[in-house]
Amino acid sequence: NAGVTQTPKFQVLKTGQSMTLQCAQDMNHEYMSWYRQDPGMGLRLIHYSVGAGITDQGEVPNGYNVSRSTTEDFPLRLLSAAPSQTSVYFCATSQGTSGGYPQYFGPGTRLTVL
Amino acid sequence: GENVEQHPSTLSVQEGDSAVIKCTYSDSASNYFPWYKQELGKRPQLIIDIRSNVGEKKDQRIAVTLNKTAKHFSLHITETQPEDSAVYFCAASKSSASKIIFGSGTRLSIRP
């Protein structure tokens, strides 16, 4: 089992470019989420999904879009990258469809926006 | 919505001593409280969790206590070792909702 995988590991963008961060899991978890972690900061929830076809906003959703067409994949799209989106992005999954379960994190994507 | 405050932001202890990290939460309906450890450059990983029907839980050198009345919970690490050096995050959530809110983290350093 690969668990939670994320691609790419590193990415450099110019302001205004768009890109998609990929997240995939093979644990058959219903719940998937995206967090950003700024240097020396905690984890802030961007978007989450409780199952295929269902997504909702977290604490900091502006500038990001998500979709969930399958149980396994939960891509995060940056529509028009800004320097303020420079961060490390973690995808996380958990069993169940609520917040009452442990989160399993992917290895992260380090994004720099110039 | 839920808010989780974590203290201290940095903590330095002598190897072999104990470390305590505290978190408070705002939503009295929260009923699940996990703790995650993040080593430098790595992903956060669950180390221990507690549910609201339990006051204390232990796993070898780590323990978590929960005070529902005061709405705070704490992580206790005894006999600290160099490999305990990391950033620790608390979190709170409730089974009736889907958002998990994290504290801001505590950077723990173990002095030799």
Side-chain angles (χ1 to χ4, degrees), chain A:
Chain A
N1 283 354
V4 184
T5 58
Q6 291 184 238
T7 55
K9 292 190 187 317
F10 302 94
Q11 183 70 50
V12 179
L13 293 177
K14 294 181 179 178
T15 297
Q17 288 185 315
S18 63
M19 78 159 295
T20 299
L21 280 63
Q22 302 291 346
C23 175
Q25 54 105 356
D26 62 1
M27 296 184 288
N28 202 31
H29 283 173
E30 290 294 330
Y31 187 97
M32 297 186 75
S33 55
W34 278 102
Y35 293 88
R36 61 176 288 174
Q37 184 175 36
D38 300 323
M41 301 284 287
L43 296 151
R44 291 186 291 170
L45 182 64
I46 304 172
H47 285 285
Y48 64 96
S49 169
V50 298
I54 306 169
T55 64
D56 206 345
Q57 296 181 349
E59 303 169 84
V60 288
N62 292 342
Y64 308 95
N65 272 1
V66 292
S67 60
R68 183 97 179 268
S69 56
T70 67
T71 299
E72 294 78 20
D73 300 294
F74 190 43
L76 178 71
R77 282 182 289 278
L78 278 70
L79 308 174
S80 177
S84 60
Q85 294 179 303
T86 293
S87 190
V88 179
Y89 291 84
F90 288 101
C91 177
T93 76
S94 67
Q95 67 180 98
T97 56
S98 70
Y101 297 91
Q103 299 268 292
Y104 295 89
F105 286 84
T109 294
R110 187 175 297 274
L111 175 68
T112 301
V113 183
L114 303 175

Side-chain angles (χ1 to χ4, degrees), chain A residues 31 37 97-100 102-103 105, chain B residues 36 38 43 51 93 95 97-98:
Chain A
Y31 187 97
Q37 184 175 36
T97 56
S98 70
Q103 299 268 292
F105 286 84
Chain B
Y36 293 84
Q38 186 179 28
R43 73 190 81 183
R51 299 189 184 275
S93 64
S95 52
S98 302

Side-chain angles (χ1 to χ4, degrees), chain B residues 69-105:
Chain B
T69 303
K71 291 191 285 187
H72 68 71
F73 56 110
S74 301
L75 178 71
H76 304 253
I77 306 174
T78 59
E79 301 173 10
T80 53
Q81 300 170 3
E83 54 264 36
D84 295 329
S85 292
V87 178
Y88 292 80
F89 293 98
C90 63
S93 64
K94 50 190 178 185
S95 52
S96 60
S98 302
K99 293 183 182 180
I100 301 98
I101 303 301
F102 284 81
S104 54

